[in-house]
Amino acid sequence: MTKTPYSRTGALLSVLLFTLASLTLIVTPASAKPIAESPTSISPLLNGQEVPSIQVKDLQGKAVDLQQMLQGKPSVLFFYRGGWCPFCNAQMGQLQAIEKDLLKMGFQLIGISPDAPQELRASMTKNDLNYTLVSDVNLNAMRAFGLAYFTSQSISDKYMAKMKLKNKLWKNAAGEERLVLPVPAVYITDKTGLVHFQYINPNYKVRAEPKLILTAASLINS
């Protein structure tokens, strides 16, 4: 039985496809920004930019695409440090109080933090929340929005011990393992995922007033 010679073109094509597939595995997503060395050196997503396609986790730990969650409905997104933070819990309560007003304007409310799904469920029960919380344990959203930063060594040690956090530690440029948190922020997008409003404050004790969020939402929805 005569064997058919292997096509040179086919061989080259196979090598090319294998190479491209390999490259796809190692290329860092364009949406991933470097983790900042401090809360004042972040490079946040700006007004006029679109929320990229990034994976977060729902309450059951299932991966969901944040961009797809925003399609077809204007949204208020807020990044918070975790359910262990008293300032974040106060903010979550304030947002719960204005959720009905946001819903009347057609907005959905989504909270994003590095908390694991089970911790999100605890926060929802503790704060009696009705809106959506998603987990960003892999920092995909925090980095895409340019809000992720390394806490100092002393803060990392203090929070991990005192708050008994289970967050993964990440290595900075010096190879030191640090806790990574988001600078608290509020983003308001239209139904296509385009950012129209942002409030970002490196001082985690200062959050956007509910009235400001409602005013911004009403202007965007007008």
Side-chain angles (χ1 to χ4, degrees):
M1 182 177 179
T2 305
K3 293 184 178 180
T4 303
Y6 189 80
S7 167
R8 182 187 178 110
T9 302
L12 289 174
L13 180 59
S14 296
V15 172
L16 178 60
L17 290 174
F18 177 79
T19 302
L20 289 175
S22 300
L23 287 174
T24 302
L25 293 175
I26 62 174
V27 170
T28 301
S31 60
K33 298 181 180 181
I35 300 173
E37 290 297 326
S38 71
T40 57
S41 58
I42 60 171
S43 301
L45 197 68
L46 303 175
N47 294 340
Q49 295 182 308
E50 292 185 351
V51 174
S53 176
I54 42 182
Q55 297 289 309
V56 290
K57 294 184 178 181
D58 63 16
L59 296 180
Q60 287 70 47
K62 179 182 177 182
V64 292
D65 190 303
L66 184 61
Q67 187 183 68
Q68 292 182 2
M69 292 178 67
L70 307 184
Q71 294 303 303
K73 181 176 288 189
S75 307
V76 175
L77 309 174
F78 70 99
F79 285 82
Y80 66 102
R81 307 193 314 156
W84 51 269
C85 171
F87 298 95
C88 297
N89 284 313
Q91 181 186 34
M92 286 191 279
Q94 291 175 342
L95 290 171
Q96 177 65 37
I98 65 171
E99 186 194 19
K100 289 183 179 178
D101 296 316
L102 291 172
L103 290 174
K104 288 179 182 178
M105 288 188 281
F107 284 85
Q108 64 177 339
L109 182 58
I110 301 174
I112 305 171
S113 81
D115 280 351
Q118 62 269 26
E119 293 164 338
L120 297 183
R121 294 194 295 269
S123 289
M124 294 197 71
T125 301
K126 176 182 178 181
N127 296 291
D128 194 23
L129 305 179
N130 296 317
Y131 51 80
T132 301
L133 295 181
V134 294
S135 170
D136 190 31
V137 291
N138 295 319
L139 313 185
N140 294 334
M142 291 162 54
R143 293 189 64 181
F145 278 76
L147 301 171
Y149 74 96
F150 288 106
T151 59
S152 66
Q153 189 66 64
S154 60
I155 291 296
S156 292
D157 294 341
K158 177 183 177 180
Y159 283 1
M160 294 301 291
K162 186 176 180 180
M163 306 298 182
K164 298 181 180 179
L165 303 185
K166 299 179 181 178
N167 299 48
K168 175 183 176 181
L169 297 180
W170 301 78
K171 289 185 178 181
N172 62 8
E176 302 163 333
E177 291 191 333
R178 302 286 181 84
L179 176 66
V180 174
L181 296 175
V183 169
V186 174
Y187 279 86
I188 302 182
T189 66
D190 62 21
K191 61 182 180 181
T192 69
L194 185 71
V195 176
H196 287 259
F197 171 87
Q198 56 167 315
Y199 178 91
I200 302 164
N201 198 325
N203 183 348
Y204 67 86
K205 297 181 181 180
V206 181
R207 307 297 172 97
E209 290 290 335
K211 186 176 181 179
L212 173 61
I213 296 173
L214 286 174
T215 300
S218 65
L219 292 174
I220 293 170
N221 206 35
S222 62

